[in-house]
Every structure is written in C-alpha cells, then in structure tokens.
Amino acid sequence: MRIDFYGPPLGPQFTTDICLIPQCFLREDGTVISGFVISESGRQISLRNSLSQTHVISRDQIEERSRQKTSAMPEGLAGSLQPKQRAY
C-alpha cells in the first residue's frame, strides 16, 4: 500500500510505502503492539517491531489502529550521522 503526502518536508507532493510509517495496534485484550507493517491481508496484519520480532495480528482482534506520533529513530541519532549516512 502507498500513501501520498502533500506539502513539506519533501516538496509539494511525495509518495511513500505505508511500511515506513510506524503503526500502533490496540487489541481487544488491551495489549498494544507497535511496529512497521510488513504485510496485510483481509484476515491479518504482520508487523515487525524495533527488535526485529514479527507479530501477526488477526484483524478481528484489533480494536484500534493508529500511526505512531513519534519517530522510530532514537532521539539524537540523525545528528550523529554524516550527510551520506542519513541518505540511506
């Protein structure tokens, strides 16, 4: 799945894969799972967390889905990288 964005930071319009946006899932049992969506089907969603663990969630277990409001990149990491390192 792709999402189109309009406006800053990359100009008037740019497109990105949804898997680049961290997501949060609140399940019916009250647990929260967050990570990057790596696949979706009509029945389930697979995501990978920051520890590279894969979680598969049945769609009928999801009470709420939202984008994470904070970046997955650790605070201050970008400042310690050279410009060429940030481009990858």
Side-chain angles (χ1 to χ4, degrees):
M1 177 188 292
R2 296 183 72 77
I3 296 178
D4 291 328
F5 291 91
Y6 299 92
L10 299 178
Q13 178 181 353
F14 68 97
T15 303
T16 188
D17 286 316
I18 190 138
C19 65
L20 300 176
I21 301 171
Q23 305 274 313
C24 285
F25 295 88
L26 172 62
R27 297 187 341 176
E28 289 179 335
D29 66 2
T31 59
V32 176
I33 299 176
S34 60
F36 296 95
V37 174
I38 54 176
S39 69
E40 290 192 51
S41 71
R43 293 184 176 179
Q44 60 189 24
I45 299 172
S46 297
L47 62 146
R48 186 166 292 130
N49 67 17
S50 61
L51 300 174
S52 293
Q53 298 168 326
T54 300
H55 297 273
V56 179
I57 307 170
S58 176
R59 285 189 181 270
D60 61 1
Q61 295 177 340
I62 298 172
E63 187 169 313
E64 185 177 320
R65 178 181 182 170
S66 61
R67 293 190 309 173
Q68 279 187 247
K69 298 189 182 355
T70 57
S71 172
M73 182 182 293
E75 184 77 29
L77 179 64
S80 68
L81 301 174
Q82 299 296 319
K84 285 185 179 180
Q85 292 172 311
R86 283 183 248 161
Y88 294 103

